[in-house]
Amino acid sequence: MPAYTATESWSAQIAVQEGDIIQNGGSSLVRVCAADPASDDDAIDLTSKKAVKISAAGNVRIRCVSGNARVKIVRGL
């Protein structure tokens, strides 16, 4: 399962597949955005220890609101 460090800047694009689950493994708020360019207004907030399931293949970018966070992607079936 791929893991990424989210910083306060938007990450490079991360390819995701339908059914993948993005998990916030830390205690900091993480934003996940599928828009290009990424924007806080288009992002969803992923709070501590929460996850979101991807409904369509594409690319996302992540960022941590404050400090750093660890994000994992669990590949769907």
Side-chain angles (χ1 to χ4, degrees):
M1 123 180 53
Y4 301 89
T5 299
T7 65
E8 292 182 26
S9 298
W10 286 106
S11 70
Q13 291 184 346
I14 301 168
V16 291
Q17 303 167 0
E18 181 179 347
D20 284 357
I21 297 172
I22 299 175
Q23 295 178 327
N24 178 354
S27 59
S28 298
L29 177 71
V30 171
R31 293 205 162 126
V32 179
C33 186
D36 191 25
S39 147
D40 286 345
D41 292 335
D42 295 322
I44 62 165
D45 289 345
L46 200 54
T47 57
S48 173
K49 309 293 185 189
K50 300 295 181 182
V52 64
K53 186 173 184 179
I54 302 298
S55 61
N59 293 301
V60 297
R61 294 178 190 264
I62 58 173
R63 85 174 196 88
C64 185
V65 174
S66 177
N68 295 329
R70 199 79 174 140
V71 175
K72 293 187 262 182
I73 298 181
V74 179
R75 296 293 178 201
L77 301 176

